[in-house]
Amino acid sequence: MIIRSIAMTFAAAALSVGLASPSLAQDFPQKAVTIVVPFGAGGGTDNLVRTFQPALQEALGVPAVVENRPGGGSTIGTSIVAQAPADGYTVLAVDTAITVNPALYDNLPYDTLEDLVPVSMLATGPVILLAHPSAEAQTMDAIIEKANAEPGTLTFASGGNGASTHLALELMKLVTDIDVIHVPYKGTGPATTDLVGGHVQYMFNGISASRPHIDSGALVPIAVTGDKRNPAVPDVPTFAELGYPDVNPMSIWGVWAPKGTPEDAVATLSDAFATAINNPEVVAKLNELGFFTVGSSPDEYGATAKSEMDKWAEVVKSANIVVE
Amino acid sequence: MDLLANLALGFDVALSPANLLYCFIGVTVGTFVGVLPGIGPMATISMLLPITFGLDPIGALIMLAGIYYGAQFGSSVTSILLNIPGHAAAAVICLDGHPMAKQGRAAVGLVGSAIASFIGGSLAIVLVMQFAPPLAKLALNFGPAEYFSMMLLALLAAAVLSEGDLLKGLGMVLLGLSIGIVGIDVNSGAQRLIFSNWNLADGISFVIVAMGFFAISEVMSNLEPHAKPQMIGSNFTWRELVPSWRDFRQAFGSIIRGWGIGSMFGALPGSGPTIASFVSYSVEKKVARDPSRFGKGALEGVTGPESANNAAAVAGFIPTLTLGVPGDAIMALMLGALMIFGIQPGPSVITDNPELFWGLMASMWIGNFLLLILNIPLIGIWVRVLSIPYRILYPSILLFICIGVFATNNNSFDIVLLAAFGAIGYILHKLDCPAPPLLLGVILGPLIEENMRRALLINRGDPMVFITHPISLAMLVAGALIIVLFIVSGARARRKERQADDAPAAVD
């Protein structure tokens, strides 16, 4: 509530600037746009959205209000947007969870493709495979060899069942056909703690959270996903370089609107998000945090989301991840 | 490392007018957040985080930290005066703080808690300054097996919390454990007791249970037609604020023990102020010469936990700053903030950003001092709160609790849950079922389960892991000792009872 009133104050200031701008030729938008972030403040998605929020307000010419609606692994915030009026004034900014959850749960309170329409793909983020220095196998080949020699002994931490850090592991297991122990935690924070303490041996994690531990030597980077090396960790090889091109899970962030939102409103929003995310200052900041910025059209994002959903459905099915 | 030079650097940073102002704003906001029931540091920091992005990183961190430890400072005020905890970590303060107030010793309790907070917090800062890196290394030795044994020990130690009927106490622990099970299981991903309601997927927040059981049910009890107005004098002389030598002696040991307990639980990621204050209370009751004073206004029952939760709040910065691993959700928020500012938390933060680390440490000292001088004069105002008519006071309290519970997740379902737990809490209170064992079940149950299953998973189902790890073994032995002591002292008490029963018969 307080946050809203603060945001509205800023909003009013931004509005007065916005009204003067000549780009406001169409009917939409005429009032503040609410971006629902289905995660808590200070998380990856929240940081991403708040980084480009000022540039977005400039591009839209109206205030953009960020509303955190955390809970249920993004399902609470997502179902709020799915039920919101389809007028373009409420949108959802979400990570890979939107394409993974349909595979994981058969009792979601919404139907992703029936209730929502894609607006724009914002950014992608590679994940990095880390090892504790005490683990015997310190390269991709050595890990595969060790896992084959002693099946079911190597331990891999993750941020939870069905989390992107878990699915990356499942994808690797599927591609390389190895048998290792998955150790889920409540979020990547506690998982990282136990990895640094050497209680588990390996983990997939985001780049920005991993960098301090790589720099200090507490953790050893094995490989990073993505088509090219990541500027944030230029010395770490990609999985493709090491001969595992199919181990390529990426976190993808994008924006969705309720189904039925007028097409021209979706187009306006999509252009504004693309402009904001590709603002040079925003790009520099996000690269530093390990994001690659995109800013796609609705159709491009829709196609990516569809293929991602199919991929994760296959991974979840073959990994036999237990969900009721 | 030259401590003096570092301190000089720290105070240089912290005493700059802007940072001094941020520190003052932080602790003032923290105090009020602590005092207002239901509104905790988590809700406040997540609300304020976005607006700190415009500030300079050191100033922002100083302010956010001030809110965090400041909230621990003020949280005992309503516990003592109204039997309603300011936030979850202060729930245990109600047990002895409120009886003190009923005996007209509210001022003593409030001053004691302010001084205990100050000493616990200040000593913890010294600990962080001198020993943060080695302590962080020590904390890293705690894996799932160690956490399991430690939490089990905490649960056993807290068995002394249960008063009266053993069966009711046990029943409440079990109910607490069941509440703790709700949500998506970490290890298997199974949806447990959520009835396809996604609002329950993350489990039931401890804050909601604590506020329902302590605050809402307390308000309901006071609505009863026969409820007697509380006999708490709102008049006191300033001389009463000076603790007597006897009070001081009584409290001093508990403050030092509280500091030790709080520092330990704070430095370990995953525990934090709430567990620290509960454990401190159990320890005070265990070491007291006359445990029967507890629950009836024992000063150590206030000063121990107060010292512990402040020490834990400060020590929580050890893993966050030196390892880059957050101790709890609030620390995770601050870590997120640091990254937005472009500061990589981790082992190098002390060497790479000395002005940030030492500036924060110095500001915490200044902040604790500000809190002390802010809180003592405020006691006069807080006590006068009691003269507000209940028809105004209680609805306001309910409103604040609802705002606080809502603001954490922006979810109105949490308010429905709060009301439900308030009703359940009231009924159980009427049936003389004690709330503290239930709260412990809610906090510790999930931690015990999660870590036990994780330890077994990593070691491929071999339970010997709990015995082969030395720290874990030591905790289990201590737990076994507590059980033996409990049985022995129980048997002795029964024998005494029998003798007492026999005595009058002999006279006949």
Side-chain angles (χ1 to χ4, degrees):
Chain A
M1 262 172 177
I2 294 172
I3 188 167
R4 230 203 208 162
S5 61
I6 292 167
M8 292 310 278
T9 319
F10 283 121
L15 186 64
S16 56
V17 179
L19 283 174
S21 86
S23 70
L24 204 80
Q26 304 136 308
D27 304 342
F28 178 85
Q30 293 189 333
K31 54 171 184 166
V33 172
T34 300
I35 307 170
V36 173
V37 171
F39 304 99
T45 307
D46 187 60
N47 286 352
L48 174 76
V49 173
R50 289 190 198 276
T51 307
F52 70 72
Q53 184 189 9
L56 180 70
Q57 303 193 137
E58 211 176 292
L60 281 173
V62 294
V65 183
V66 179
E67 206 174 296
N68 297 95
R69 304 298 293 259
S74 85
T75 54
I76 308 250
T78 304
S79 69
I80 287 168
V81 175
Q83 287 157 22
D87 53 10
Y89 291 105
T90 310
V91 294
L92 174 78
V94 67
D95 68 1
T96 314
I98 191 81
T99 51
V100 172
N101 283 344
L104 284 174
Y105 308 106
D106 56 14
N107 58 350
L108 283 180
Y110 56 87
D111 183 323
T112 314
L113 296 178
E114 286 298 309
D115 297 341
L116 296 164
V117 289
V119 174
S120 178
M121 180 161 133
L122 294 172
T124 62
V127 286
I128 187 165
L129 177 60
L130 302 163
H132 187 261
S134 74
E136 212 179 288
Q138 296 281 349
T139 64
M140 247 327 254
D141 289 338
I143 292 171
I144 309 289
E145 198 179 309
K146 179 99 179 154
N148 283 328
E150 297 163 38
T153 54
L154 299 183
T155 50
F156 282 72
S158 84
N161 266 287
S164 60
T165 48
H166 172 210
L167 291 165
L169 168 67
E170 293 300 341
L171 189 65
M172 176 171 125
K173 280 168 68 182
L174 190 68
V175 171
T176 59
D177 195 29
I178 54 171
D179 176 13
V180 297
I181 301 176
H182 167 229
V183 188
Y185 286 81
K186 265 190 193 160
T188 52
T192 311
T193 310
D194 266 16
L195 183 69
V196 173
H199 305 289
V200 283
Q201 297 169 298
Y202 304 95
M203 179 183 173
F204 279 97
N205 204 356
I207 297 222
S208 61
S210 310
R211 262 178 61 192
H213 304 297
I214 298 172
D215 292 345
S216 73
L219 296 176
V220 182
I222 307 277
V224 66
T225 66
D227 301 332
K228 49 181 196 279
R229 289 202 179 194
N230 194 289
V233 280
D235 298 335
V236 182
T238 62
F239 278 92
E241 276 177 62
L242 298 175
Y244 303 92
D246 291 333
V247 184
N248 201 12
M250 297 284 275
S251 291
I252 294 175
W253 284 267
V255 178
W256 299 73
K259 186 93 161 193
T261 303
E263 260 172 51
D264 57 334
V266 172
T268 307
L269 283 169
S270 184
D271 289 346
F273 274 104
T275 309
I277 197 89
N278 285 313
N279 172 305
E281 246 175 75
V282 172
V283 172
K285 254 193 196 167
L286 291 175
N287 283 349
E288 184 65 20
L289 291 171
F291 294 103
F292 290 125
T293 56
V294 183
S296 76
S297 71
D299 289 345
E300 284 165 335
Y301 183 38
T304 310
K306 188 77 191 54
S307 78
E308 283 282 303
M309 284 170 88
D310 292 345
K311 176 173 90 181
W312 293 127
E314 192 198 328
V315 172
V316 166
K317 201 174 153 213
S318 67
N320 198 17
I321 299 171
V322 182
V323 238
E324 325 255 277
Chain B
M1 220 195 304
D2 189 358
L3 184 65
L4 278 181
N6 286 329
L7 272 182
L9 170 69
F11 277 102
D12 197 35
V13 173
L15 285 173
S16 78
N19 288 341
L20 207 56
L21 180 69
Y22 289 137
C23 180
F24 181 73
I25 295 174
V27 298
T28 310
V29 171
T31 300
F32 283 95
V33 161
V35 169
L36 292 174
I39 301 182
M42 178 78 198
T44 317
I45 291 177
S46 55
M47 284 192 288
L48 290 182
L49 190 62
I51 55 169
T52 63
F53 288 165
L55 306 179
D56 121 89
I58 299 179
L61 193 66
I62 285 176
M63 187 170 85
L64 294 175
I67 295 172
Y68 184 45
Y69 59 77
Q72 313 294 339
F73 230 97
S75 60
S76 56
V77 171
T78 45
S79 303
I80 293 172
L81 294 176
L82 299 168
N83 206 19
I84 290 172
H87 66 93
V92 77
I93 311 283
C94 294
L95 302 180
D96 275 283
H98 190 60
M100 283 188 83
K102 280 188 179 156
Q103 295 156 11
R105 295 197 295 149
V108 178
L110 290 170
V111 173
S113 95
I115 292 176
S117 298
F118 176 69
I119 299 179
S122 308
L123 287 180
I125 298 170
V126 177
L127 195 78
V128 177
M129 283 184 168
Q130 268 303 43
F131 302 110
L135 275 174
K137 287 235 164 60
L138 196 69
L140 278 182
N141 285 325
F142 274 68
E146 286 78 12
Y147 272 104
F148 163 75
S149 303
M150 183 176 79
M151 296 305 166
L152 192 67
L153 177 64
L155 191 65
L156 284 170
V160 294
L161 274 179
S162 57
E163 279 288 318
D165 199 334
L166 184 65
L167 199 63
K168 279 182 180 166
L170 214 56
M172 291 297 271
V173 172
L174 287 177
L175 187 61
L177 294 175
S178 325
I179 295 170
I181 283 176
V182 175
I184 291 181
D185 175 34
V186 183
N187 281 288
S188 67
Q191 303 172 5
R192 303 195 298 199
L193 300 179
I194 77 170
F195 310 105
S196 280
N197 185 337
W198 285 86
N199 292 303
L200 290 171
D202 291 337
I204 294 169
S205 149
F206 170 72
V207 175
I208 292 175
V209 181
M211 285 299 148
F213 270 73
F214 277 91
I216 307 285
S217 92
E218 175 68 23
V219 171
M220 286 170 78
S221 301
N222 281 290
L223 290 178
E224 288 169 19
H226 307 296
K228 273 181 245 138
Q230 287 161 319
M231 304 302 285
I232 302 175
S234 55
N235 298 316
F236 68 96
T237 61
W238 287 100
R239 194 177 302 152
E240 280 176 47
L241 291 183
V242 183
S244 70
W245 176 239
R246 206 181 66 104
D247 287 337
F248 185 77
R249 242 184 9 202
Q250 204 179 9
F252 187 73
S254 71
I255 294 176
I256 298 299
R257 282 188 293 274
W259 163 68
I261 292 165
S263 303
M264 186 181 91
F265 281 95
L268 289 170
S271 37
T274 307
I275 296 181
S277 65
F278 270 88
V279 170
S280 163
Y281 185 85
S282 326
V283 167
E284 288 316 314
K285 197 170 168 186
K286 232 5 229 187
V287 301
R289 225 169 274 147
D290 177 14
S292 66
R293 287 190 300 115
F294 279 76
K296 294 171 195 144
L299 183 59
E300 308 97 289
V302 172
T303 51
E306 264 302 298
S307 167
N309 68 31
N310 280 273
V314 172
F317 284 92
I318 293 177
T320 311
L321 287 177
T322 60
L323 298 174
V325 296
D328 60 21
I330 297 172
M331 287 294 162
L333 270 180
M334 293 207 203
L335 209 60
L338 278 178
M339 299 221 282
I340 281 270
F341 293 129
I343 292 168
Q344 294 283 0
S348 52
V349 85
I350 300 179
T351 42
D352 289 357
N353 297 84
E355 64 292 348
L356 176 93
F357 181 81
W358 295 102
L360 178 65
M361 289 301 127
S363 88
M364 293 215 267
W365 241 343
I366 297 167
N368 266 280
F369 187 69
L370 285 177
L371 280 165
L372 190 67
I373 49 178
L374 194 68
N375 272 268
I376 300 281
L378 280 175
I379 287 173
I381 298 174
W382 301 143
V383 173
R384 233 157 267 141
V385 164
L386 294 173
S387 51
I388 298 174
Y390 286 167
R391 66 175 192 282
I392 296 169
L393 183 62
Y394 282 128
S396 327
I397 287 174
L398 286 180
L399 183 71
F400 283 127
I401 294 173
C402 290
I403 293 174
V405 164
F406 175 78
T408 313
N409 283 333
N410 289 337
N411 191 342
S412 50
F413 180 79
D414 287 348
I415 295 176
V416 178
L417 266 186
L418 175 76
F421 277 103
I424 298 169
Y426 175 71
I427 294 166
L428 290 171
H429 174 73
K430 286 272 118 187
L431 297 171
D432 279 331
C433 294
L438 175 132
L439 290 185
L440 272 169
V442 177
I443 314 175
L444 295 176
L447 287 172
I448 291 176
E449 187 205 352
E450 192 184 318
N451 284 293
M452 184 185 84
R453 288 172 63 187
R454 187 173 295 141
L456 290 173
L457 184 65
I458 292 175
N459 292 281
R460 279 167 292 156
D462 182 4
M464 293 303 287
V465 58
F466 300 112
I467 298 171
T468 51
H469 286 210
I471 300 176
S472 165
L473 178 67
M475 303 257 185
L476 289 179
V477 169
L481 280 178
I482 289 181
I483 296 178
V484 170
L485 274 176
F486 197 73
I487 295 171
V488 169
S489 69
R492 200 178 296 151
R494 261 195 307 277
R495 203 161 49 235
K496 246 185 219 155
E497 230 168 73
R498 249 202 320 276
Q499 278 165 354
D501 285 348
D502 289 351
V507 173
D508 274 337

